Every structure is written in structure tokens, then in C-alpha cells.
Amino acid sequence: MSARQSALRRIDRDQRRGQASLSLRRIGDDLDRGIYPIAYTGGVVLPGATQPILTSPGEELTSNAAESETGSAGPEAGPGEGAAGDDTPGERSSGAAALVLGHPGLTDSMRADLVGAVEAYPQFNVRFAPQGAWLSGWVRPITDLPERAFLVISYPIVSPSDRDARLAAWAWWETGIWIGPRHTNCGDGSICAFDPSDRVWGPGDPLWLYMDLMTVWIVRHMYLRRFGRWPGKQVLHTAHERLRDHRPGELCGCRSGLSYEACHHARDHRRPVWLAIADYLRFFPAPIRRPSDEVLSFLRSSVTP
């Protein structure tokens, strides 16, 4: 390749990345205004059109949830696009679906849930353990930006009455750096992409929709890395959390719709430190946020780059 061709290729790449950065900025601006992005097959995320997040107080819907009633995660990404970084996503999806269909101990609803997930995210692998399934794969939400994330999901297949069994997810950048601690859960560092009061997802809703929400959470972290603030609404229950996590220009964690500086900032600073910490510990008795040993053991035993 000549020096001229190399230079032209770099210019083209930089232009595409610049446009992708504009797309990421638009997603953040939309989230600030209550408009949710659209997640497509494989975890490709694009700016939303007109569908607002809040259809009624406290209720959120993704565009996929509004558009799809068949278990599909939306229209497919174009050839070679998507998050997989794999030339044979259809083969991997077929293999994962066959593994799910042939696995004993699954209810019909669990089997349909898992098959729907691997059809929506064809680059993902499925591995079974005694009490659950592990789904894992790469996502590249903004196709013209270099960031990829490795997403790991723990899917329980034990009795729903088991209180310790819950759906949970974790993610790492391609460099091996865990994505967090902003908006991760205390105790096990799992992804906290929404508050239960949002009613955006709950038990019985499709797994592919949950994966869409995890992918959009990764996009929000991409925005945080590039632009220095968390885009859109967030929930921060206590003064300690708000003082620790808020960055300038973010919407206040109390969900007032105001910026933190115009809302809780002054009163949080006036609150005695010991009282702020006591409030926080009442909410989160196990305040450490990091991936659990069980998840790290999965990563060590799985075949990942």
C-alpha cells in the first residue's frame, strides 16, 4: 500500500470516528431529554427517533420493546457490522441455540428465553453450570468507534422461589479493565442499568431486552469516558452517593430533572459526614463494589482473549 493510500485510509477512518462521536453525543443528548436509543441485533446502538423514555410517570420503554413482539431484538445490523468481531455469527448462534434446546432441566419458558437471547445476540456463547447458564460475548455498540466490551450474564435456572437466584451482568473493556464502579451494585459489582421503580424490565420479561439495557449501559459508560459526565437520568439514593459520584452537568440522582448543581448539591454539602455515611450504610450494608469471586472464576475458566 502506498503512503498516499495509507494517508487516505487514515483520513477516512478519522472521519468515520468523528461521525461516530457525534452519534454518541446525540445519544447522550437524547437521554438527557428522555429519548432512549435503539438497540439492534448484536448490540449495535443507534440514536432513537421520537420514542420517549417516560411514557407515564416512572415507566420506561426501549424502542425495541415497543417495536418487537416476537422476541427479536430489532432489525439486524448490516453485513460485517455489530459487536461480535466474528465472521460466523450465524453458526455460533445456531450452535448456542442447539445447546440450549438440548439441555435438560430447563422449562419451556427458560428455553425460549435463552434461544431468543442468542438469536438477538448471535455472537454470544452459552455455558451451563449446575444452577444456571452463563452467556458471554463481545459487544461493539458504536460500530465506528474502537471500544468493545466483554459482557457476561448469569442466568439462573433454579426455582424462582430461590431468593439468591437472580439475573445479573458484568462487563469489561477490551483492555481487561472492569467497567465500573459507576452504576454497579454493591456486594458483587453487577451492572445497575435501571432502578426497579422504572418498570423498564422485570421477572418474566425477555432476556434479550435485558441484554439491550446492558448494552445501552455500556454506551453510557462510553459517553462518560469521552465527555466526562453520565448521560440521562440516574438514581442516587443518598447524599454520600451523590457527593461521591456526581460530575458537573449531570442530572440530579433524585430524578428532579434538574442538574445536580441546581438541586441537591448545596444541601448534600451541608449534611454532616457521619449522617451521610449512616444513611448510605442503611441502603447498602455491603458497600464494596467489585465483581464477585464466582464471576472471576468463570472468566478464568472460559476461553476469552
Side-chain angles (χ1 to χ4, degrees):
M1 181 185 300
S2 68
R4 174 181 170 77
Q5 288 175 319
S6 297
L8 289 174
R9 179 167 292 186
R10 283 197 301 272
I11 291 171
D12 179 63
R13 180 197 62 201
D14 292 343
Q15 286 177 340
R16 285 189 287 108
R17 287 185 178 177
Q19 291 170 352
S21 291
L22 290 175
S23 175
L24 183 62
R25 184 181 286 278
R26 182 186 160 189
I27 289 173
D29 291 343
D30 283 350
L31 285 166
D32 287 338
R33 294 184 292 118
I35 299 173
Y36 216 67
I38 302 170
Y40 293 94
T41 297
V44 175
V45 177
L46 295 173
T50 57
Q51 175 65 43
I53 277 186
L54 297 179
T55 56
S56 63
E59 183 174 356
E60 299 184 3
L61 290 174
T62 67
S63 297
N64 281 343
E67 293 175 359
S68 174
E69 299 177 358
T70 62
S72 165
E76 292 186 356
E81 294 182 346
D86 191 310
D87 294 330
T88 57
E91 293 178 12
R92 296 184 71 175
S93 176
S94 300
L99 179 65
V100 170
L101 291 171
H103 188 79
L106 295 175
T107 65
D108 289 342
S109 61
M110 288 176 181
R111 194 169 281 113
D113 204 19
L114 287 166
V115 169
V118 297
E119 288 177 347
Y121 285 77
Q123 72 273 27
F124 271 54
N125 290 316
V126 180
R127 296 173 62 204
F128 285 97
Q131 291 187 312
W134 292 93
L135 294 87
S136 61
W138 291 100
V139 290
R140 188 176 174 186
I142 310 295
T143 56
D144 287 325
L145 289 178
E147 287 98 331
R148 292 199 310 166
F150 191 70
L151 181 61
V152 175
I153 296 170
S154 173
Y155 183 88
I157 58 175
V158 295
S159 169
S161 62
D162 185 346
R163 293 189 176 184
D164 292 331
R166 67 183 183 88
L167 189 61
W170 299 260
W172 283 261
W173 297 120
E174 192 169 13
T175 54
I177 296 173
W178 170 59
I179 303 179
R182 281 290 296 267
H183 294 291
T184 59
N185 292 305
C186 291
D188 64 359
S190 57
I191 294 173
C192 182
F194 54 89
D195 192 78
S197 64
D198 294 336
R199 300 199 302 276
V200 64
W201 188 92
D205 289 330
L207 177 58
W208 62 260
L209 175 57
Y210 179 87
M211 295 168 75
D212 283 353
L213 293 166
M214 302 302 106
T215 303
V216 172
W217 177 89
I218 291 169
V219 171
R220 286 175 147 170
H221 269 280
M222 291 173 64
Y223 188 96
L224 177 64
R225 295 176 89 190
R226 269 181 161 74
F227 303 116
R229 69 176 186 87
W230 186 262
K233 297 180 179 178
Q234 56 187 325
V235 178
L236 297 169
H237 299 278
T238 66
H240 178 75
E241 290 174 89
R242 292 190 293 267
L243 289 169
R244 179 192 64 195
D245 288 347
H246 262 306
R247 294 192 184 183
E250 293 183 352
L251 296 179
C252 188
C254 74
R255 293 189 158 186
S256 64
L258 301 172
S259 70
Y260 180 55
E261 291 82 359
C263 192
H264 268 80
H265 182 267
R267 73 186 83 172
D268 285 347
H269 274 277
R270 290 195 299 267
R271 195 165 183 79
V273 173
W274 66 268
L275 193 54
I277 294 175
D279 290 343
Y280 177 71
L281 291 176
R282 274 197 292 271
F283 267 96
F284 308 106
I288 302 301
R289 293 187 290 180
R290 67 173 184 83
S292 66
D293 292 339
E294 183 182 18
V295 176
L296 295 177
S297 175
F298 164 78
L299 286 175
R300 283 193 291 267
S301 63
S302 66
V303 180
T304 60

